[in-house]
Amino acid sequence: MSPAIVEVRNVSRRFAPTPSIGERIAGLFGAYVENRTVHAVDRVSLDIASGEVLGLVGESGCGKSTLGRVIAGIHPPSDGEAFIHGEPVMGGQRRRVKTTTRVQMIFQDPFGSLDPRFRIGATIAEGPIAHGLIRRAEARAEVARWLSAVGLPADAADRFPHQFSGGQRQRIAIARALAMQPDILVCDEPVASLDVSIQAQIINLFLKLRRELNLTMLFISHDLGVIRHICDRVAIMYLGRIVELGRTEDIYTRPAHHYTRALLDSVPKLVTTGDDLVSFRPISGELPSPLAPPPGCHFHLRCPAADARCRSEAPDLRDLADGRRAACHHPLIDDRT
Amino acid sequence: MTAGPVAQFWSEFRVNRVAVVALAIVATIVVLSLVAPWITPQNPYDMSGLRLADARRPPGFVSPRTGITHWLGTDGQGRDVLSAILYGLRVSIEIGLSAGIIAFSLGVTLGTFAAYLGGRIEALIMRFIDLQLSFPAILLALVLAAVLGQGKWQLVAALVTAQYAYFARTAHGAAATERSKDYVEAALSTPLKPHVVVLRHILPNCMPPLIVVATVQVANSIALEATLSFLGLGLPVSEPSLGMLIANGFQYLLSGRYWISIYPGIALIVLIASINLVGDQVRDQLNPRLRR
């Protein structure tokens, strides 16, 4: 495997609302103040190799978007650090600001991610000009080049975002990210808000760009079908932790973690033979509140194999057979050891 | 290519006849007050040009001494009311606009940076502004005008202090909304410098509500200035603004010499009402919930 571009080391991201003055005074006098800290991402480590597309899957609220934003340098990590080519994504010590341009992000909502008052050309050229990647005089040609790369006509540069459809806007957002010539693209649910037919077009665009530009991507999605189509490796997230990591085909054919299997089983399948013509098994129970995650393995409340150990001791992400890693005391595949 | 945003805005604005008429009136008043020195028969600020014998004459009076026709009559010092109104409008608009512009810049800067920075700085700035907003603007302006003394710039300072908080509140609300949108995160993750993001992306998108507040606040400044002048806390007597003209004629109202107060009053009402009508239409057009 080629060397890692992105290294995520022990990254945690907590969101704590600042306590009000009343609560602070009450706390001084020893009153009980409710702790509302959310552990959106809890000590996550992973690598992404050059040219690789890593999928990040999980239910809503499991912290996958937050992890993506930490890697893209939008949120500073509370603990740990994300590195690109060995350099931290966020510079500075007290007030942390993103310094690298090597990672760019594509957002879920193409209607919110483009400044409505900027013409498309200005939107795409702004970053590269600000960072001296291109000169102002070259901007038009450069913009036309990236627009054609994402399948839009060159005259789109003179129009405003509201004159485009959702799929076209997502193409524009992709062109804007690519114009910064990043080493890695973080795609946060880039097709989730699009129609199914448009989804297929955008996914094909990603596949084409990947072939042509040797793109490295972190592809965040809750759609298992999309992930299987586009990713080399998949990381499964549950309540802020990565519970399983491995090659896409391995994970889809032989899941190691009970959560992964439950997730795969919960996908509606059209079965053309047998009694259960249209069948799927939803995961039992609700996603626990990230304000008060259960002790031990976070999944034990919903897990069919949970025992006393799972309720008290949190499993580490450990190596299993053929390069698979899973955080489970009772994995569904054999231990390597 | 589609029409630019300004042309598109005008084509929608044109539909409302009342607003178009109001805009025309505002424009006419502004032009008339600007060219006042060249079109008025008399310089009302030049005390040597005034004839006391012509004082308190009714509208339409032709002075046998100067040969001037006083279309709206004369006041207690023999000043032509029409000339005084045009000069007074000039003063009112000048003060209202400068107070509006300064309050706008100050308030928007404070509000936007409070929203961008967040945390304690935001809390400090916004609580101070809330505190100030809990006092009536007229009270603040009265106290300040009394403390600072008479004069044009003292008056502007008093008006700015009374009004910047409205801009700060509006700007803070709008900027906080824009701050959380994806395009701001996209700009920050490019990364662009924070001041570039604020000035080039957040601020222009906050403009619609601010423009509405600005039109209303300019009208308010003019009314507030007139109030202060009426109470004798505004400009010196030698340079009467509309408020002072009304105050000057007030003592004659009951003796039947209505024109000294009424005509400046009408001019003030027409100006303020027209600005507000234009402001209403702009607000309706910029409010996305009322559109489509």
Side-chain angles (χ1 to χ4, degrees), chain A residues 69 98 104 112 115 126 131, chain B residues 183 185 189-191 200-201:
Chain A
R69 274 155 203 252
K98 183 180 176 186
Q104 293 293 321
D115 188 334
E126 187 183 24
H131 287 280
Chain B
Y183 73 85
E185 289 204 334
S189 78
T190 300
R200 213 191 283 170
H201 291 283

Side-chain angles (χ1 to χ4, degrees), chain A residues 24 69 72 74-75 95 97-101 103-105 107-109 112-119 126-127 130-131 158 160 163 176 180, chain B residues 1-5 8 116-118 120 178 181-194 196 200-202 204-208:
Chain A
R24 252 183 255 169
R69 274 155 203 252
I74 293 175
H75 293 320
R95 199 173 178 94
V97 279
K98 183 180 176 186
T99 44
T100 181
T101 61
V103 53
Q104 293 293 321
M105 178 136 178
F107 294 83
Q108 171 174 3
D109 175 19
S113 65
L114 302 172
D115 188 334
R117 280 165 195 268
F118 265 51
R119 287 179 201 277
E126 187 183 24
H131 287 280
D158 296 320
F160 287 97
Q163 293 168 287
R176 170 177 63 184
M180 289 301 292
Chain B
M1 274 301 294
T2 51
Q8 196 186 339
Y116 179 78
L117 293 171
R120 285 193 187 163
E178 296 300 323
K181 288 192 180 163
D182 276 351
Y183 73 85
V184 174
E185 289 204 334
L188 286 172
S189 78
T190 300
L192 299 174
K193 297 212 162 53
V196 174
R200 213 191 283 170
H201 291 283
I202 296 182
N205 281 295
C206 294
M207 277 329 237

Side-chain angles (χ1 to χ4, degrees), chain A residues 95, chain B residues 110 113-115 117-127:
Chain A
R95 199 173 178 94
Chain B
L110 276 177
F113 274 89
L117 293 171
R120 285 193 187 163
I121 302 167
E122 178 184 30
L124 195 73
I125 295 176
M126 293 323 290
R127 289 304 79 75

